[in-house]
């Protein structure tokens, strides 16, 4: 598990690329779902349906593939971020930096 988390979560990404993408999704979508595929690779979902009271996730989609099975909360890493103001702050910061760089 250490290797999957800190070195190579899946064949397409290094750990730094993977966690950068996870944090980006977490900040902009306020939630992120990480699953372990049948090949034991760690993947983060592009979209999913969370059934809150059942503690399950279904219609988990990664790129063009949608898993037909339902994932239990105990089988995934589900991260939720509640600071909804951060995305507007980051958007404003990017706008200011863009104006600064264009104006220079």
């Amino acid at each position: 598990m250490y290797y999957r988390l800190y070195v190579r979560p899946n064949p397409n990404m290094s750990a730094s690329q993977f966690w950068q993408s996870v944090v980006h999704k977490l900040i902009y979508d306020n939630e992120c779902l990480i699953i372990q595929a049948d090949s034991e690779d760690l993947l983060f979902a592009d979209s999913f349906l969370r059934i809150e009271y059942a503690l399950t996730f279904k219609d988990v989609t990664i790129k063009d593939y949608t898993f037909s099975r339902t994932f239990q909360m105990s089988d995934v890493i589900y991260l939720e971020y509640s600071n909804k103001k951060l995305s507007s702050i980051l958007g404003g910061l990017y706008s200011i930096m863009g104006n600064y760089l264009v104006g220079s």
Side-chain angles (χ1 to χ4, degrees):
M1 186 53 98
Y2 178 88
Y3 181 79
R4 291 281 180 216
L5 288 172
Y6 299 110
V7 179
R8 182 71 67 180
N10 60 59
N12 300 324
M13 300 176 120
S14 68
S16 62
Q17 292 170 322
F18 177 79
W19 289 111
Q20 181 181 5
S21 298
V22 166
V23 169
H24 182 270
K25 184 149 188 65
L26 186 60
I27 289 172
Y28 284 100
D29 295 346
N30 293 318
E31 63 182 357
C32 184
L33 181 68
I34 301 170
I35 64 163
Q36 190 169 19
D38 294 336
S39 60
E40 297 187 3
D41 294 330
L42 294 180
L43 306 168
F44 64 92
D46 294 320
S47 66
F48 57 91
L49 177 61
R50 177 180 172 210
I51 304 170
E52 190 170 348
Y53 297 107
L55 301 174
T56 59
F57 301 89
K58 66 179 193 176
D59 298 331
V60 176
T61 303
I62 299 171
K63 298 203 186 266
D64 295 331
Y65 182 76
T66 301
F67 286 87
S68 58
R69 69 177 188 232
T70 300
F71 292 90
Q72 300 298 318
M73 183 67 86
S74 59
D75 299 329
V76 302
I77 299 172
Y78 176 69
L79 304 170
E80 192 171 21
Y81 188 69
S82 61
N83 189 350
K84 296 180 181 182
K85 295 180 182 178
L86 184 61
S87 59
S88 64
I89 292 170
L90 286 176
L93 180 63
Y94 290 147
S95 175
I96 291 168
M97 291 302 290
N99 290 338
Y100 176 73
L101 292 173
V102 171
S104 300

